[in-house]
Amino acid sequence: MGWSQVAYLMLTALGLGVNLAKHGEPRPAYSIWSALVGAAICLGILYWGGFFG
């Protein structure tokens, strides 16, 4: 796994962490569930596109 993959995974984890910390707060209403779905879709596209291979 190269540095770009590690950096992307770290940024994704950071974004999920922010959503987890702010889950349910106003402006806009943060939702860990929508963040997880978005991250899963993005990671799936990157995986099937060969980013991790």
Side-chain angles (χ1 to χ4, degrees), residues 5-40:
Q5 288 91 346
V6 172
Y8 181 78
L9 290 174
M10 288 174 61
L11 288 172
T12 300
L14 179 65
L16 287 172
V18 168
N19 274 276
L20 180 62
K22 294 188 169 284
H23 181 69
E25 289 186 11
R27 204 247 150 242
Y30 288 89
S31 171
I32 188 63
W33 305 117
S34 63
L36 282 171
V37 169

